[in-house]
Amino acid sequence: MALLTAAKVGHQFGGLCAVADFNLELHHGDLMAVIGPNGAGKTTVFNLITGVYRATEGSICFKGTELVGKNPNQIAALHIGRTFQNIRLFRDLSVLDNVRIAHHAQINYTPLEGLLHLGRYRREEQRIIDNSRLLLAIFKLEHLAGETAKNLPYGLQRRLEIARALAISPELLLLDEPAAGMNPNEIDQLMALIQWIRQEFKLTILLIEHQMKLVMGICERIKVLDFGVTLAEGPPKMIQNHPKVLEAYLGEIPDG
Amino acid sequence: MIALMREQWDLLLENRWLVPILLVIGFGLAFAIPEYNLLSVYVQLILMYAGINIILAVSLNLVNGYMGEFSLAHAGFMAVGAYTAVLLTMKVFPVAGFPFLFPCAVFAGGLAAALLGIIVAIPSFKVRGDYLAIITLAFLMIVKSLIENIDFIGGPRGISGIMKLTTLPWVFFWTVALVWMVRNFIYSKYGRGVLSIREDEIASDLMSVNTRHVKFFAFMLSSFCAGIAGALFAHLLQFISPRIFDITKSTDILIMVYLGGIASIGGSILGATLFTVLLELLRPSTMAALLSWLPSFVFEPLNEHFISHLGVWRMVIMPLALILVMLYWPRGIMGLREFRGFIPRRDREAHHYINPQGEEPDGATDRR
Amino acid sequence: MSDEVVYWLQQTLNALQLGSIYALIALGYTMVYGILTMINFAHGDVFMIGAFFCFLLSSMLGLTFAPTLLLTMLGTALLGVVIERLAYKPLRQAPRVSAIITALGVGLFLENFTLALSPYPKHIPMLLENVTWNLHGISLSSIQAVIISLSLGLMLLLDYIVHRTSIGMAMRAISWDKTYVPLMGIPVDLIISITFAIGAGLAGAAGTMYALAYPVIDPYMGITVGWKAFICAVVGGIGNIRGAMVGAFILGGVEIMVVAFFPSTYRDFVAFTLLMLLIVIRPYGILGKPRIQKV
Ligand SMILES: Nc1ncnc2c1ncn2[C@@H]1O[C@H](COP(=O)(O)OP(=O)(O)O)[C@@H](O)[C@H]1O
Ligand SMILES: [Mg+2]
């Protein structure tokens, strides 16, 4: 059974049709990329899945649950994690707190227990701290736990965003241009990291990326959007030689 | 010199015994002072007002500092708590025979205020920044106007002849209990939710924070505290009227919060205490009593030309002092820091204001 | 004309008078907000100072209406510039709330300073001959006529300045973008000073007119009127100059209508309940545009 199914999803901003007739089927363990020129509607697709916008048409099902109409936090609590094209960390909070906050839906205590620091409070907080530290250690950020997020260098901020997304224990992880602003060396590291967390956390990953090296290197399937419309979908080899895709990119042809 | 003072201040902030020791001393004094008449009635009164103001400032800081909203409604919640408790002690509870009913009345005042907190909490799901500030302002005006129009509770004239039930031990108890609760709330998943909303509400929502719940509880807790403070205040002043709880009162609490520093419990405690004490010190009678040890050839002219005019001018000096503090210390006294004793052990490393040289939190500044 | 129509026209006239005064003050809030995204909470007290200037000029110096109005506007404009330079300018890089709290402090200072110098309410002498014309049962006093026409004139002038002159263009540019506009040779400090001068000058005009209509003035009169004018600015869409005018006439209208139908003590209750609902329904004000949050 498919993990995520999007059927005939469409979205308009006022008169502008950002996404039209979008169909997607993701199975457990897939690693898929969405590519397309700027303004093609890729981020909008992520926003529709995660509930930032409500799809004007169509339906999105995650493990049999309809996502259209749910709040972002309800969708996140179903274990769909994401990062952002422009980093959106909690800039003035510590690195550790950034990761702890994303555990919100998994912390089991009532407001009263929180108010009195009684009951499950202690155990739950300790569990969350331990888990957060573990995640930071995986991303080699442990020594920076007390640092304010905005003081991290750009590359580490990107890493922290992935760590934070993993804190909601996602089954589906959406990465929005994770390699933006990285040099080839860093991209190699990122590719290794993505493949590693995919194994380790048994993730299904959908990512948006302009860096063809990354897309062609690790993704099994690619979907090409342009002006909100799906141009093509298939394995990297097929996309690379697809006439419509070449036309849309016009010179921006992948070198890999 | 200044560097040395700063060092001492840092040590004080980091001192692990400061808060517990102050608590123990406070506890002892709160009972000993009224019992053995250690301090004059006037000083006791100031201590009680300071306690009430601490409750108000700490709870307003939850919304204005930690959540980054700008609420002007605190005086309105105070009014609700005050009127509810006063009606109970005057008309319903036979408090004279059963003193334990007083805390019940105070608690009821807090509950009533918390209930009305929903009126502000629900719009806050949708409306933020300056527009939410207007909603809180409108709430305050509505409460005041409603009270003015209900004859049963004295209308614009208010209620006088309230029993003086607020005592130093009670104020101490409520202050400690409420500050403790607010602190617990801040260092729980809800408090982290509040902070994340201030930083980036959309990201917070996408990271599974139930922003509505978090805002709801934060507003409820904040208004609950304000209600309790109002109830204590009413039974101390022994007179309430809608004019007491107008925008000026809210402004006073705002000043305490920002004077002490946003997003800091210790800051609010310092801000409230300083505000209360300074305002009292600037009274002509207090100042005269304080300086009476001076030789008379110094005291007499001082008294004639300066002290005796303070009654009018202290309200001019106070805002000037505030402006100066803001110009030289835009982040207030504490500047986003916190006393070690207020931070749970588990949270110390993650505490986000470790870095004293850091910049302003954008979340609290660029919000609009 | 039927009694009904006469009644409504009369109420409209009253609403216009109240709305004009609110509008002149609301403009100051909204202009400063537009350019600095700062809520100048001392603005209501500048309005109060305007009324006191008017008192000084008319009763102490015995000036007539026109010079009183002009000098008052000049005086408050100067006050506005001084406040900005001394109290707000040093805080431009500081957290937004620091400036707001400083503004509250400046407001308190102005109130209590005035109170210290003048402990009792003051009576303003009659500056204008009070004639009441009667048109088919609608009464219009000369004071009302002056207030409404002068305010409308000032608002048109402001609208012209903001939308048709180079200073206005600079103002709009700064409120549009604060990072790059200063790099384009626009003298930001000067434009901000001019904005404060205009806003405070309009508040001075409002103070004079308020004193005409309600000739007893006291140092705390700026609080309620000021907060209400602020609400007008927000209701219209803060930062939007035409919005401030719309908001002011709406609030003026609502207040007058409430008094017409309910006991006058319910004015604030009904007016503020309506405002609260309006903001919940249209959180960005009537003429304001919702801010698009791109994710
Ligand atoms: N909140 C919004 N309001 C209006 N238009 C939007 C909004 N978000 C995105 N758009 C528009 O939708 C189109 C697709 O945007 P987006 O999904 O961000 O593209 P990309 O493929 O580069 O991620 C663009 O034309 C963009 O301007
Ligand atoms: Mg994008």
Side-chain angles (χ1 to χ4, degrees):
Chain A
M1 200 191 97
L3 185 71
L4 182 87
T5 325
K8 297 208 166 77
V9 174
H11 190 74
Q12 274 111 27
F13 291 111
L16 179 96
C17 181
V19 175
D21 193 23
F22 181 83
N23 297 291
L24 180 72
E25 196 158 296
L26 274 179
H27 293 272
H28 235 289
D30 281 358
L31 204 176
M32 184 170 174
V34 179
I35 65 170
N38 275 321
K42 307 178 297 289
T43 302
T44 305
V45 167
F46 274 21
N47 286 337
L48 293 174
I49 296 175
T50 52
V52 179
Y53 307 133
R54 194 194 161 113
T56 35
E57 293 145 35
S59 91
I60 306 172
C61 265
F62 181 70
K63 296 205 297 186
T65 315
E66 177 63 53
L67 298 185
V68 177
K70 281 199 163 36
N71 290 334
N73 65 65
Q74 291 169 323
I75 294 174
L78 293 172
H79 305 292
I80 299 183
R82 72 171 282 181
T83 64
F84 301 90
Q85 181 172 350
N86 309 303
I87 300 176
R88 294 186 82 139
L89 289 170
F90 305 121
R91 289 169 50 79
D92 296 300
L93 305 186
S94 64
V95 168
L96 183 60
D97 270 348
N98 265 277
V99 180
R100 278 209 289 173
I101 285 165
H103 285 91
H104 192 93
Q106 302 160 55
I107 305 181
N108 295 311
Y109 57 75
T110 57
L112 200 65
E113 284 166 306
L115 208 56
L116 303 177
H117 281 195
L118 286 177
R120 288 171 287 181
Y121 169 84
R122 228 166 264 271
R123 193 159 28 93
E124 287 288 288
E125 286 291 315
Q126 195 58 52
R127 178 171 71 84
I128 294 321
I129 285 210
D130 293 344
N131 196 42
S132 304
R133 285 197 183 284
L134 197 69
L135 279 170
L136 289 183
I138 289 173
F139 286 83
K140 301 199 176 60
L141 291 165
E142 204 181 14
H143 59 293
L144 295 168
E147 189 61 64
T148 311
K150 68 178 169 196
N151 294 343
L152 298 189
Y154 178 83
L156 294 191
Q157 291 197 13
R158 283 242 167 242
R159 249 200 263 163
L160 176 56
E161 235 195 5
I162 300 179
R164 185 179 69 171
L166 287 179
I168 70 173
S169 329
E171 279 180 62
L172 173 62
L173 180 65
L174 310 175
L175 301 172
D176 198 342
E177 303 197 12
M182 290 190 174
N183 63 32
N185 196 4
E186 287 171 323
I187 293 177
D188 286 340
Q189 287 178 12
L190 180 69
M191 284 164 67
L193 180 73
I194 291 176
Q195 291 196 305
W196 188 80
I197 56 173
R198 177 188 177 199
Q199 301 279 318
E200 190 69 19
F201 295 91
K202 307 198 169 36
L203 292 175
T204 308
I205 297 177
L206 182 64
L207 60 82
I208 297 174
E209 195 43 77
H210 286 300
Q211 298 290 341
M212 285 307 148
K213 184 177 169 191
L214 192 150
V215 175
M216 298 298 166
I218 60 174
C219 296
E220 291 139 7
R221 262 195 311 156
I222 296 172
K223 192 173 185 73
V224 190
L225 286 188
D226 194 18
F227 292 111
V229 184
T230 307
L231 287 187
E233 185 182 334
K237 279 276 170 316
M238 178 193 140
I239 296 298
Q240 255 169 329
N241 304 313
H242 200 287
K244 272 198 199 165
V245 178
L246 294 179
E247 192 186 311
Y249 271 86
L250 217 73
E252 245 187 88
I253 301 169
D255 52 346
Chain B
M1 176 67 191
I2 288 184
L4 189 73
M5 272 169 66
R6 190 160 285 163
E7 213 169 277
Q8 291 299 314
W9 178 241
D10 287 352
L11 284 178
L12 201 65
L13 287 181
E14 283 300 315
N15 192 311
R16 66 176 69 226
W17 298 112
L18 181 71
V19 173
I21 286 181
L22 283 182
L23 265 180
V24 171
I25 294 179
F27 182 78
L29 285 181
F31 285 93
I33 290 172
E35 187 67 32
Y36 304 108
N37 273 320
L38 293 184
L39 292 169
S40 74
V41 176
Y42 172 62
V43 177
Q44 289 188 32
L45 203 66
I46 297 175
L47 285 179
M48 287 191 266
Y49 280 126
I52 292 170
N53 283 340
I54 288 173
I55 299 177
L56 289 167
V58 169
S59 57
L60 185 65
N61 205 340
L62 177 59
V63 170
N64 284 35
Y66 290 91
M67 189 143 79
E69 292 294 356
F70 195 80
S71 170
L72 290 156
H74 235 46
F77 294 122
M78 258 184 102
V80 173
Y83 272 88
T84 309
V86 165
L87 286 182
L88 286 177
T89 58
M90 285 182 82
K91 306 239 157 102
V92 184
F93 290 170
V95 180
F98 305 91
F100 67 89
L101 283 174
F102 173 57
C104 298
V106 172
F107 190 76
L111 280 188
L115 219 59
L116 284 194
I118 298 176
I119 298 185
V120 177
I122 288 179
S124 81
F125 297 164
K126 218 176 119 186
V127 184
R128 301 203 57 197
D130 301 323
Y131 295 93
L132 187 62
I134 293 297
I135 287 191
T136 61
L137 176 62
F139 172 83
L140 172 64
M141 301 284 199
I142 290 170
V143 168
K144 188 176 165 233
S145 172
L146 263 186
I147 294 174
E148 275 170 358
N149 280 298
I150 304 177
D151 276 336
F152 166 66
I153 53 173
R157 279 162 290 112
I159 306 178
S160 49
I162 302 168
M163 271 174 284
K164 186 165 186 267
L165 296 169
T166 302
T167 57
L168 202 53
W170 273 129
V171 172
F172 183 78
F173 163 75
W174 282 111
T175 308
V176 172
L178 292 178
V179 170
W180 181 71
M181 280 205 259
V182 172
R183 173 270 203 184
N184 285 354
F185 184 83
I186 287 164
Y187 294 101
S188 74
K189 70 171 191 174
Y190 299 99
R192 288 194 299 275
V194 165
L195 285 169
S196 71
I197 289 173
R198 180 189 80 191
E199 293 298 313
D200 186 337
E201 183 166 354
I202 292 181
S204 153
D205 206 357
L206 285 164
M207 293 303 135
S208 84
V209 176
N210 192 333
T211 51
R212 292 185 174 198
H213 275 184
V214 166
K215 287 183 184 182
F216 191 82
F217 294 132
F219 274 107
M220 293 267 273
L221 178 60
S222 172
S223 47
F224 175 77
C225 294
I228 300 260
L232 292 172
F233 182 75
H235 291 91
L236 186 57
L237 194 65
Q238 295 175 269
F239 164 71
I240 48 175
S241 79
R243 283 205 54 184
I244 294 180
F245 303 106
D246 68 0
I247 181 77
T248 325
K249 187 88 203 165
S250 280
T251 322
D252 283 351
I253 310 169
L254 283 175
I255 290 174
M256 297 175 212
V257 170
Y258 292 95
L259 185 68
I262 58 160
S264 163
I265 293 173
S268 284
I269 294 176
L270 283 180
T273 314
L274 218 68
F275 182 88
T276 319
V277 172
L278 275 186
L279 217 54
E280 288 302 327
L281 278 186
L282 288 174
R283 273 184 206 285
S285 52
T286 322
M287 190 63 103
L290 272 179
L291 295 182
S292 56
W293 53 271
L294 287 171
S296 71
F297 69 91
V298 181
F299 181 75
E300 290 303 332
L302 200 66
N303 191 22
E304 190 185 330
H305 297 294
F306 174 66
I307 298 177
S308 60
H309 297 289
L310 272 179
V312 191
W313 288 96
R314 74 188 182 116
M315 298 311 281
V316 181
I317 297 173
M318 213 39 211
L320 267 186
L322 174 75
I323 295 170
L324 288 179
V325 169
M326 280 295 138
L327 287 180
Y328 292 99
W329 261 331
R331 291 188 277 171
I333 299 170
M334 287 294 277
L336 297 176
R337 302 177 71 189
E338 187 64 279
F339 287 104
R340 184 189 165 103
F342 287 123
I343 311 171
R345 187 179 43 76
R346 219 175 274 107
D347 287 86
R348 265 175 215 149
E349 188 186 352
H351 194 258
H352 34 283
Y353 310 128
I354 299 279
N355 169 17
Q357 268 81 44
E359 305 152 53
E360 318 304 333
D362 311 325
T365 58
D366 296 346
R367 292 276 340 292
R368 60 199 62 144
Chain C
M1 273 192 282
S2 74
D3 287 354
E4 191 89 332
V5 176
V6 168
Y7 176 79
W8 283 106
L9 284 177
Q10 183 72 58
Q11 295 296 355
T12 310
L13 211 58
N14 295 343
L16 274 178
Q17 179 191 340
L18 191 59
S20 307
I21 292 176
Y22 284 153
L24 288 180
I25 308 172
L27 285 170
Y29 278 110
T30 230
M31 286 171 70
V32 168
Y33 187 92
I35 210 157
L36 288 180
T37 51
M38 171 202 161
I39 305 172
N40 178 13
F41 279 135
H43 193 61
D45 299 296
V46 172
F47 153 80
M48 175 274 294
I49 297 282
F52 273 85
F53 276 161
C54 170
F55 166 77
L56 282 180
L57 294 167
S58 59
S59 111
M60 303 252 172
L61 301 181
L63 296 183
T64 54
F65 177 66
T68 304
L69 177 69
L70 280 179
L71 286 175
T72 302
M73 287 177 69
L74 263 181
T76 49
L78 200 65
L79 178 67
V81 173
V82 170
I83 292 175
E84 195 273 328
R85 284 285 150 134
L86 291 185
Y88 304 156
K89 190 164 172 238
L91 287 172
R92 248 180 242 162
Q93 310 304 327
R96 202 163 85 95
V97 278
S98 311
I100 292 181
I101 295 301
T102 309
L104 281 175
V106 172
L108 282 176
F109 172 76
L110 292 178
E111 284 159 23
N112 294 322
F113 189 74
T114 314
L115 185 75
L117 296 179
S118 140
Y120 306 106
K122 293 280 186 282
H123 282 266
I124 306 265
M126 276 293 220
L127 278 173
L128 287 174
E129 202 182 338
N130 198 354
V131 197
T132 306
W133 298 287
N134 202 317
L135 294 160
H136 305 288
I138 308 167
S139 61
L140 171 70
S141 71
S142 52
I143 289 180
Q144 261 181 331
V146 166
I147 291 180
I148 296 174
S149 52
L150 254 178
S151 320
L152 288 180
L154 285 172
M155 282 182 249
L156 286 179
L157 182 67
L158 178 74
D159 205 72
Y160 177 80
I161 292 178
V162 171
H163 292 281
R164 294 272 181 277
T165 65
S166 59
I167 290 179
M169 197 194 291
M171 285 178 180
R172 282 179 293 139
I174 295 176
S175 67
W176 179 257
D177 180 304
K178 281 165 201 65
T179 327
Y180 298 110
V181 165
L183 302 177
M184 297 181 177
I186 291 177
V188 174
D189 285 345
L190 180 69
I191 298 294
I192 289 176
S193 287
I194 292 176
T195 309
F196 269 87
I198 295 179
L202 291 178
T208 311
M209 296 189 196
Y210 190 88
L212 276 187
Y214 315 96
V216 182
I217 60 173
D218 73 276
Y220 292 126
M221 65 189 261
I223 301 179
T224 321
V225 178
W227 284 106
K228 284 188 178 170
F230 171 55
I231 287 175
C232 299
V234 177
V235 164
I238 192 149
N240 184 316
I241 287 183
R242 289 175 188 167
M245 302 181 202
V246 172
F249 287 111
I250 289 181
L251 184 65
V254 167
E255 290 204 336
I256 297 287
M257 291 307 149
V258 171
V259 177
F261 291 110
F262 296 94
S264 65
T265 49
Y266 280 91
R267 188 187 62 194
D268 283 2
F269 175 67
V270 179
F272 284 110
T273 311
L274 285 178
L275 287 170
M276 202 157 160
L277 291 179
L278 184 82
I279 290 173
V280 173
I281 297 165
R282 246 186 113 79
Y284 34 88
I286 292 172
L287 294 190
K289 296 209 171 56
R291 238 162 39 97
I292 296 177
Q293 261 276 21
K294 281 214 176 180
V295 181

